[in-house]
Amino acid sequence: MPRFVRRAALTLAICGLLFGYSVHRHAQIASSERDIAHLTAEIAEMEAQNAKLQIEALALSSLPRLERVARQELGMMNPQGRQIILVGVTGGN
Amino acid sequence: MGMKLRVASLLVLFILGCVVLVLRLGFLQFVRGPELERWAMAQWTRDVAVSPSRGVIYDRNLRPLAVSANADTLVALPAKIENPDETAAKLAAVLGISPEVIHRGITRRLDQVYIARQISREQAAAVRALNLPGIDFKIETDRYYPNANLASHLLGFVGIDNQGLGGLEHKYDATLRGTPGEVRNPADGRRNPLQNVSPEYVPPVPGQSIVLTIDEVIQHIVERELDAAMTRHQATAALAVAMNPQTGEILAMANRPDFDPNAFNRYTESLWRNTAVSDSFEPGSTFKVVTAAAALNEGVVSEEDRLFCTGSVSVAGVRLGCWRAGGHGSLNFAEVFWRSCNPGFVDVGMKLGRETLQAYIDKFGFGRRTGIDLPGEAPGVMFRRMGPVELATTSFGQGPAVTALQQVVALSAAVNGGIVYRPRLVKEIRDQQGVVVQTFPKEVVGQAITADTSARVRTLLEGAVLYGSGRNAFLEGQRVGGKTGTAQMVRAGGGYYDGRYIASFIGMAPADDPSIALLVIVRDPQGPYGYYGSQVAAPAFRAMMVDILRYLKVEPHSGGSVLTEPALVTVPELRGLSTTAALAHLRDLGLNLRMEKVGDRVISQTPTPGAAVSVGTTVIVELGTAQEPLGRIVVPDVRGLSMRDASLKMSAAGLRIVVTGTGLAVTQDPLPGEEVDISTIVRVTFRP
């Protein structure tokens, strides 16, 4: 094999490898960029959902609703002016 | 030889590899090209928000009452739509809009067309999943009121373009809405868009937030009790206004019926009206506070001056009656105020004179807008010319038309030392970071009466609750003052309705240093509890005040005033009376009425006449028509009983007893077992 051919082939091979490596890196960058875009979109999505949940929390803690739940579901009532609460008495005289 | 083969085969492999790569490249470019291009575009571009976020409306404790959230708006770019029919069909399935409408939209010759605005997140996600070309998203802000109906008339609502359409959303629209952003596509001199130059993005300036003087808790308490009063008294409408008399800050303002601003267009327009500021009506006896304040300030009358009520007074030939049929007799002015005697006030009004009363009415702010920061405020209607009759009726609150807000401002001035403040709803303006950029201090409009007179008015108001018609507003352990009002409803076209009234109660607490002034108005109560302000509005006022004072941490104290009037009252004979007479009779004694069945006469009652009950007890009566016989009674046997027991037994049976002697009963006439009419007199002799 003529010497220059061998050298040319070697150079080509190295160039090819470098080229391949460069393409590989570009692909990696593109892939990372896509990941970033996805994550950014995810963050935006979560932020939007967070905002929506905050509004839902506001609606759930509205005073009319709280009073309704307290009265109807938890059986609470207004304290009276005079109220008698029985306290357990231990021991005796 | 072997080397050549190896090199040749390497070369072949190398070429094969290149061919494969080229084929793969071709495949990616041409077959999957468009799809990958779309992916790339989605990756490089973002939905940019162009509409600014609208400011939040907070209550005075920074609890949000109106908020904005991002919502997706669906936009079509007709130039990029590939298959309009298929696109329209797919969108229609997700959005629930007819495909024809969508098709029309996406085939229009415009750059951008709205398909659906502010859609739900689920719908937006579904459309995104379809991945349709030419369909894009835009971020718009959606307004949400997390407390639904609470303070709906105050807050107002916004339209689809986030423009304020009523209430505070409208009045403060410029502050709340911010400045929209821009996406500028650079163009050359001939307005051709420059290629390969990214569009310039100017971000939106967010709107500023407003902090109201309203307290969400007080607003809730007020609205809850208004609902209860509406149901209990079967009223057409009701409203309440609460104000801090020392500053002019509105703590609560509520109207019934109301609406949900989240869905305002599902309600008729008339429900959006803020009656408390937009409607004026004849106030009735609550206006007497103004007349009394004016009279005391001018010195034309003092609390001990004696006046006489015969049941009516004649002014320029017109007979003006008192609500108490037989008149009140001789009273001092304080009692005239407490018992709300009309002829007494006519007298005072005459003493004041037309010009002076007019001047005070003006100083208290009636007849013109208060200047509150709400749209649609009514100025009210005053007499243009006041003759003697107009002067007389104005003195007791029939004639001039005033708004609820004006009344509260006037009462606040009457009890806070005489200062008329401008009422306001907004405390501060804050930017998006929460930094305060503007505050609104209290604003003095004028001085109506002196501080001394104001102290005397406070005493009068407290007396009305302790000794007068305001009994049902009494709160144990607290010092409350106020005035009842029962005004006839004006009929369109002139005159008044028969049997239709506006019941009101205006008051303040604590009476020595008021921190809250509250007006409650109930319109056209038709329920079984009557229509007087003392029976309809005062109890609602009391229910609100109990919780409000507790919330404001105004501690009850044992040193508070007690009802010094005799705590026990004898139930009178009501059977045979008309409902109006029965109502008036009971009101006079400080008792309440509940009517059952239908009719114009009282047929039976519980408790029976003669029973001793505490003030504020409800007497239940059965109504019927006048023709029904009232029934005969069997005379009970009281022989051997003490005087007290004998009296009680007779009263319980519906008979009247006349006593002779002392000790135990020995004889009675008629005898036990005889049948007599109601209210027959039974003579009983007693011997020790």
Coordinates of all heavy atoms in Angstrom, one line a residue, chain A residues 1 30 33-34 37 40 45 48-49 52 55 58-59 61-64 67 71 78-79 82, chain B residues 3 7 39 43 63-64 67-69 121-122 144 146-147 150 216-217 220 224 476 547 550:
Chain A
M1 N 0.9 -1.2 0.0 CA 0.0 0.0 0.0 C 0.9 1.2 0.0 O 1.8 1.4 0.8 CB -0.9 0.0 1.2 CG -1.8 1.1 1.4 SD -3.3 1.1 0.5 CE -4.0 -0.4 0.9
A30 N -28.7 19.4 21.4 CA -30.1 19.6 21.0 C -31.0 18.8 22.0 O -32.1 19.3 22.3 CB -30.2 19.1 19.6
E33 N -31.3 20.7 25.1 CA -32.2 21.9 24.9 C -33.7 21.5 24.9 O -34.5 22.2 25.4 CB -31.9 22.6 23.6 CG -30.7 23.6 23.7 CD -30.4 24.3 22.4 OE1 -31.0 23.9 21.4 OE2 -29.6 25.2 22.4
R34 N -33.9 20.3 24.3 CA -35.3 19.9 24.3 C -35.7 19.5 25.7 O -36.8 19.8 26.1 CB -35.4 18.6 23.4 CG -36.8 18.6 22.9 CD -37.0 17.5 21.9 NE -37.4 16.3 22.5 CZ -37.5 15.1 21.9 NH1 -37.1 15.0 20.7 NH2 -38.0 14.0 22.5
A37 N -36.5 22.7 27.4 CA -37.8 23.2 27.0 C -39.0 22.5 27.7 O -39.9 23.1 28.1 CB -37.9 23.1 25.5
T40 N -39.1 23.5 31.3 CA -39.7 24.9 31.4 C -41.2 24.9 31.2 O -41.9 25.5 32.0 CB -39.1 25.8 30.3 OG1 -37.7 25.6 30.3 CG2 -39.4 27.3 30.6
E45 N -46.5 24.9 33.6 CA -47.7 24.2 33.8 C -48.0 24.1 35.3 O -49.1 24.3 35.8 CB -47.6 22.8 33.2 CG -48.6 21.8 33.6 CD -49.8 21.8 32.6 OE1 -49.6 22.4 31.5 OE2 -50.9 21.3 32.9
A48 N -49.0 27.4 36.8 CA -50.4 27.7 36.5 C -51.3 26.8 37.4 O -52.4 27.3 37.9 CB -50.7 27.4 35.0
Q49 N -51.0 25.6 37.6 CA -51.9 24.7 38.4 C -51.8 25.2 39.8 O -52.9 25.1 40.5 CB -51.4 23.3 38.3 CG -52.5 22.3 38.6 CD -52.2 20.9 38.3 OE1 -51.1 20.6 38.0 NE2 -53.2 20.1 38.3
K52 N -54.1 27.9 40.2 CA -55.5 27.5 40.2 C -55.9 26.9 41.5 O -56.9 27.1 42.1 CB -55.7 26.4 39.1 CG -57.1 26.1 38.9 CD -57.4 24.8 38.0 CE -58.9 24.6 38.0 NZ -59.2 23.2 37.8
I55 N -56.5 29.5 44.1 CA -57.9 30.0 44.0 C -58.9 29.1 44.6 O -59.8 29.5 45.3 CB -58.2 30.3 42.5 CG1 -57.3 31.5 42.1 CG2 -59.6 30.6 42.3 CD1 -57.6 32.0 40.7
L58 N -58.9 29.4 48.2 CA -59.6 30.6 48.6 C -61.1 30.3 48.6 O -61.8 30.7 49.5 CB -59.3 31.7 47.6 CG -58.1 32.6 47.9 CD1 -58.0 33.6 46.8 CD2 -58.2 33.3 49.2
A59 N -61.6 29.7 47.6 CA -63.0 29.4 47.5 C -63.5 28.5 48.6 O -64.5 28.7 49.2 CB -63.4 28.8 46.1
S61 N -62.2 28.3 51.6 CA -62.1 28.9 52.9 C -63.0 30.2 52.9 O -62.9 31.0 53.8 CB -60.7 29.3 53.2 OG -60.2 30.1 52.2
S62 N -63.9 30.3 52.0 CA -64.8 31.4 52.0 C -65.7 31.3 53.3 O -66.1 30.2 53.6 CB -65.7 31.5 50.8 OG -66.9 30.7 50.9
L63 N -66.0 32.4 53.9 CA -66.7 32.4 55.2 C -68.1 31.8 55.1 O -68.4 31.0 56.0 CB -66.7 33.8 55.8 CG -65.4 34.4 56.2 CD1 -65.5 35.8 56.6 CD2 -64.8 33.6 57.3
P64 N -68.9 32.1 54.1 CA -70.2 31.4 54.1 C -70.0 29.9 54.1 O -70.8 29.2 54.7 CB -70.8 32.0 52.8 CG -70.1 33.2 52.6 CD -68.7 33.1 53.0
E67 N -69.0 28.5 57.5 CA -70.1 28.5 58.4 C -71.1 27.3 58.1 O -71.6 26.7 59.0 CB -70.8 29.8 58.5 CG -71.8 29.9 59.6 CD -72.3 31.3 59.9 OE1 -71.6 32.3 59.5 OE2 -73.3 31.4 60.6
R71 N -71.9 24.3 60.7 CA -73.2 24.0 61.2 C -73.8 22.7 60.8 O -74.3 21.9 61.6 CB -74.2 25.2 60.8 CG -74.0 26.4 61.6 CD -75.1 27.4 61.2 NE -74.7 28.8 61.6 CZ -74.9 29.3 62.8 NH1 -75.4 28.6 63.8 NH2 -74.5 30.5 63.1
N78 N -73.8 28.3 67.8 CA -73.4 29.5 68.4 C -73.3 29.3 69.9 O -74.1 28.7 70.5 CB -74.4 30.7 68.1 CG -74.1 31.3 66.8 OD1 -74.0 30.7 65.8 ND2 -74.0 32.6 66.8
P79 N -72.3 29.9 70.5 CA -72.2 29.9 72.0 C -73.3 30.7 72.6 O -73.7 31.8 72.0 CB -70.9 30.5 72.4 CG -70.5 31.3 71.2 CD -71.1 30.7 70.0
R82 N -75.3 32.3 78.4 CA -74.9 31.6 79.5 C -74.9 30.1 79.1 O -75.9 29.6 78.6 CB -76.0 31.8 80.6 CG -76.0 33.2 81.2 CD -77.1 33.2 82.3 NE -77.2 34.6 82.7 CZ -78.0 35.5 82.1 NH1 -78.7 35.2 81.1 NH2 -78.0 36.8 82.6
Chain B
M3 N -3.8 -7.4 2.5 CA -3.9 -6.0 2.9 C -4.9 -5.3 2.0 O -5.8 -4.5 2.4 CB -2.5 -5.3 2.9 CG -2.6 -3.9 3.4 SD -3.1 -3.8 5.1 CE -1.5 -4.0 5.9
V7 N -8.3 -3.3 3.0 CA -8.6 -1.9 2.7 C -9.8 -1.8 1.9 O -10.7 -0.9 2.1 CB -7.3 -1.3 2.0 CG1 -7.7 0.1 1.5 CG2 -6.2 -1.2 3.0
W39 N -42.2 20.1 16.1 CA -41.6 19.9 17.5 C -40.6 21.0 17.8 O -40.6 21.6 18.9 CB -40.9 18.6 17.5 CG -41.7 17.4 17.9 CD1 -43.1 17.4 17.9 CD2 -41.3 16.2 18.3 NE1 -43.5 16.1 18.3 CE2 -42.4 15.3 18.5 CE3 -40.0 15.6 18.5 CZ2 -42.3 14.0 18.9 CZ3 -39.9 14.3 18.9 CH2 -41.0 13.5 19.1
Q43 N -40.6 24.0 20.6 CA -39.5 24.1 21.5 C -38.9 25.5 21.5 O -38.5 26.0 22.6 CB -38.4 23.1 21.1 CG -37.2 23.1 22.0 CD -36.3 22.0 21.5 OE1 -36.7 20.9 21.1 NE2 -35.0 22.2 21.5
R63 N -57.4 39.9 52.6 CA -57.9 38.7 52.1 C -58.5 38.9 50.7 O -59.3 39.8 50.6 CB -59.0 38.2 53.1 CG -58.4 37.9 54.5 CD -59.5 37.6 55.5 NE -60.1 36.3 55.1 CZ -60.6 35.4 55.9 NH1 -60.6 35.7 57.2 NH2 -61.2 34.3 55.5
P64 N -58.1 38.1 49.8 CA -58.5 38.4 48.4 C -60.0 38.2 48.2 O -60.6 37.2 48.6 CB -57.7 37.4 47.6 CG -56.8 36.7 48.5 CD -57.3 36.9 49.9
V67 N -59.7 37.9 42.2 CA -58.4 37.5 41.8 C -58.4 37.2 40.3 O -59.4 36.9 39.7 CB -57.8 36.3 42.5 CG1 -57.6 36.6 44.0 CG2 -58.7 35.1 42.4
S68 N -57.2 37.2 39.7 CA -57.1 36.9 38.3 C -56.2 35.6 38.1 O -55.3 35.5 38.9 CB -56.5 38.0 37.5 OG -57.4 39.0 37.3
A69 N -56.5 34.8 37.2 CA -55.7 33.6 36.9 C -55.5 33.5 35.4 O -56.4 34.0 34.6 CB -56.4 32.4 37.4
R121 N -58.7 24.3 31.7 CA -57.4 23.7 31.5 C -57.5 22.3 30.8 O -56.7 21.9 30.0 CB -56.7 23.5 32.9 CG -56.6 24.7 33.7 CD -55.6 24.5 34.9 NE -54.3 24.0 34.4 CZ -53.4 24.8 33.8 NH1 -53.7 26.0 33.4 NH2 -52.3 24.3 33.4
E122 N -58.6 21.6 31.2 CA -58.8 20.3 30.6 C -59.0 20.4 29.1 O -58.4 19.6 28.3 CB -60.0 19.6 31.2 CG -59.9 19.3 32.7 CD -60.0 20.5 33.6 OE1 -60.8 21.4 33.2 OE2 -59.4 20.6 34.7
Y144 N -61.8 35.9 38.8 CA -62.5 34.9 39.7 C -62.8 35.5 41.0 O -62.0 36.2 41.6 CB -61.7 33.6 39.8 CG -62.4 32.6 40.5 CD1 -63.6 32.1 40.0 CD2 -62.0 32.0 41.7 CE1 -64.3 31.1 40.6 CE2 -62.6 31.0 42.3 CZ -63.8 30.5 41.8 OH -64.5 29.6 42.4
P146 N -63.6 34.3 44.6 CA -63.6 33.1 45.3 C -64.8 33.0 46.4 O -65.2 31.9 46.8 CB -62.3 33.0 46.0 CG -61.7 34.4 46.0 CD -62.4 35.1 44.8
N147 N -65.3 34.1 46.8 CA -66.3 34.1 47.8 C -67.7 34.2 47.2 O -68.7 34.5 47.9 CB -66.2 35.3 48.8 CG -64.9 35.1 49.6 OD1 -64.7 34.1 50.1 ND2 -64.2 36.2 49.7
L150 N -70.5 37.0 48.0 CA -70.1 38.0 49.1 C -69.7 39.3 48.5 O -68.8 39.4 47.6 CB -69.0 37.4 49.9 CG -68.7 38.2 51.2 CD1 -69.7 37.7 52.3 CD2 -67.3 38.0 51.6
E216 N -64.0 41.5 55.6 CA -64.7 40.3 55.1 C -65.6 39.6 56.1 O -66.7 39.2 55.8 CB -63.7 39.3 54.6 CG -64.3 38.2 53.8 CD -63.3 37.1 53.5 OE1 -62.1 37.3 53.8 OE2 -63.7 36.0 53.0
V217 N -65.1 39.6 57.3 CA -65.9 38.9 58.4 C -67.2 39.7 58.7 O -68.3 39.1 58.8 CB -65.0 38.8 59.7 CG1 -65.9 38.2 60.8 CG2 -63.8 38.0 59.4
H220 N -69.6 39.2 56.0 CA -70.2 37.9 56.0 C -71.3 37.9 57.1 O -72.5 37.4 56.8 CB -69.2 36.9 56.3 CG -69.8 35.6 56.7 ND1 -70.6 34.8 55.9 CD2 -69.8 34.9 57.9 CE1 -71.0 33.7 56.5 NE2 -70.6 33.8 57.8
R224 N -75.2 37.3 56.2 CA -75.9 36.1 56.8 C -77.2 36.5 57.4 O -78.3 35.9 57.3 CB -75.0 35.4 57.7 CG -75.5 34.2 58.3 CD -74.7 33.7 59.5 NE -74.8 34.7 60.6 CZ -73.8 34.8 61.6 NH1 -72.7 34.1 61.5 NH2 -74.0 35.7 62.5
E476 N -77.3 42.4 76.0 CA -76.8 42.4 77.4 C -75.3 42.6 77.5 O -74.6 42.0 76.7 CB -77.2 41.0 78.0 CG -77.4 41.1 79.5 CD -77.8 39.7 80.0 OE1 -78.4 39.0 79.3 OE2 -77.4 39.4 81.1
D547 N -72.4 39.5 66.9 CA -71.2 38.9 66.4 C -70.2 39.9 66.0 O -69.0 39.7 66.1 CB -71.6 38.0 65.1 CG -72.1 36.7 65.5 OD1 -72.0 36.3 66.7 OD2 -72.7 36.0 64.7
R550 N -68.4 41.1 69.0 CA -67.5 40.0 69.5 C -66.2 40.0 68.6 O -65.1 39.9 69.1 CB -68.2 38.7 69.4 CG -67.6 37.6 70.3 CD -68.5 36.4 70.2 NE -69.7 36.4 71.1 CZ -70.8 35.8 70.8 NH1 -70.9 35.1 69.7 NH2 -71.8 35.8 71.6

